[in-house]
Amino acid sequence: MNEQELRKALHDAVVASSPPPPMDPRTALGAARRADRRRKATWGAGVAGFAVVGIAVGATLLPSHAGGGSAEVGASPPGTPAVTTTTVMPTVMPTTTVTAAPTSRGTAPSWPDGQTDRTATSGPRAAKGSGLVNALAGALPVGSITREEGGAAPRTQAQFVDYAGGLQVWEYLIEAPVSPSGAAAGVARVLVQVETRGNSRVRDLPGCGLAIDRPYPVQGDGRCDVVRVGGADVPVVTARNAGPTDYEQAAFHRHADGTLVVVAQSRRHPVARGPALTEPLLTPQQLAGIAADPAFHLD
């Protein structure tokens, strides 16, 4: 077969092929609506993976930084039926951010600012980490940070994560025992974790997509609700069957520059001598309010 015969054969094959079926506008609109419902879905995580069960379109919790009862999730406009969808999520359990040490030449680690390892123990970065104690104390709408002699106490950390172009990506963390009115009344646990701009912890997804993509530190089956705080949609994930040392609820807020703030709580502090709380210390609205607090927008 010469070149001319080959071209003719290809042309005949194209002409003989059936044209693609026309797009049905109703089908396209239905697909778009289903995608929108999945973005508002509740989430579920199992040992084998995550499953998400949708909530009604447009449902959010009412914002209330000062507290108050939670609003019903799943309410739809009059005459609009509630819609439930199911989506299978990735089968790998997410854990945390970057674990590999950054390198500049070969496999030798390249730590910033003269550090000998990932954790900053002095200097401005370490000061930002330790400053989270006062920041959390000022942001708590209820309760206060407590310290037990030889027991539970707040701990902070500032650690280098990775380079992102010309940026240094850092993680600042505080995990603190918090009591509503003294350790005898019970000791909860509150975590604040800040990952500076340039982080790759979660993808830039709207609403609950931000949280269900990587819901750590919450694990196990649960749900996601969106809380409106100061014009921002803050997803809050709640575990249904958290273990005795697990976090039970977490709020995720990504600032416009990419900085990610995660605030989590559990009714029990794993090393506290005081009893666990019978109810969560913070409402979903209060948890989301702390996540969106400018005091935790660090660099």
Side-chain angles (χ1 to χ4, degrees):
M1 178 181 291
N2 57 31
E3 180 179 355
Q4 183 175 359
E5 291 172 333
L6 176 61
R7 288 179 176 175
K8 184 176 185 305
L10 292 173
H11 177 270
D12 292 342
V14 171
V15 171
S17 300
S18 299
M23 173 61 73
D24 185 350
R26 290 173 297 179
T27 302
L29 181 58
R33 285 174 175 168
R34 288 192 296 272
D36 184 65
R37 291 164 189 156
R38 285 194 292 270
R39 285 194 294 269
K40 298 177 176 67
T42 59
W43 68 275
V47 175
F50 293 97
V52 179
V53 180
I55 59 177
V57 174
T60 61
L61 289 179
L62 299 178
S64 173
H65 185 82
S70 60
E72 184 70 21
V73 175
S76 301
T80 302
V83 179
T84 300
T85 59
T86 301
T87 302
V88 177
M89 299 299 289
T91 58
V92 177
M93 173 66 74
T95 53
T96 186
T97 50
V98 177
T99 56
T103 59
S104 57
R105 291 186 297 273
T107 58
S110 176
W111 306 116
D113 307 325
Q115 291 184 198
T116 58
D117 61 17
R118 186 182 301 279
T119 303
T121 56
S122 62
R125 300 288 187 178
K128 287 183 181 180
S130 60
L132 289 175
V133 176
N134 289 336
L136 178 58
L140 285 171
V142 295
S144 59
I145 296 174
T146 186
R147 291 173 172 84
E148 294 180 335
E149 186 69 29
R155 68 177 186 90
T156 62
Q157 186 177 60
Q159 68 172 5
F160 174 71
V161 176
D162 205 351
Y163 293 102
L167 293 174
Q168 294 180 14
V169 181
W170 283 79
E171 177 187 275
Y172 303 101
L173 176 147
I174 178 172
E175 186 179 65
V178 179
S179 177
S181 58
V187 180
R189 179 176 52 159
V190 175
L191 168 79
V192 178
Q193 181 176 303
V194 181
E195 299 186 30
T196 63
R197 64 192 184 104
N199 72 80
S200 58
R201 160 71 187 272
V202 294
R203 292 180 293 164
D204 189 15
L205 298 173
C208 281
L210 173 69
I212 64 176
D213 187 50
R214 298 192 69 181
Y216 178 86
V218 173
Q219 302 182 58
D221 294 336
R223 61 174 292 138
C224 177
D225 300 310
V226 174
V227 179
R228 191 77 171 169
V229 178
D233 289 335
V234 180
V236 177
V237 296
T238 305
R240 290 195 178 95
N241 298 296
T245 62
D246 294 339
Y247 282 100
E248 300 166 296
Q249 194 172 56
F252 298 75
H253 178 59
R254 183 183 282 281
H255 291 273
D257 65 358
T259 300
L260 176 68
V261 182
V262 181
V263 182
Q265 68 171 343
S266 60
R267 289 173 293 171
R268 177 191 304 274
H269 193 289
V271 301
R273 290 192 296 270
L277 303 186
T278 57
E279 297 293 335
L281 175 75
L282 304 166
T283 68
Q285 294 90 343
Q286 291 170 332
L287 204 68
I290 296 174
D293 193 314
F296 301 109
H297 190 181
L298 305 178
D299 57 14

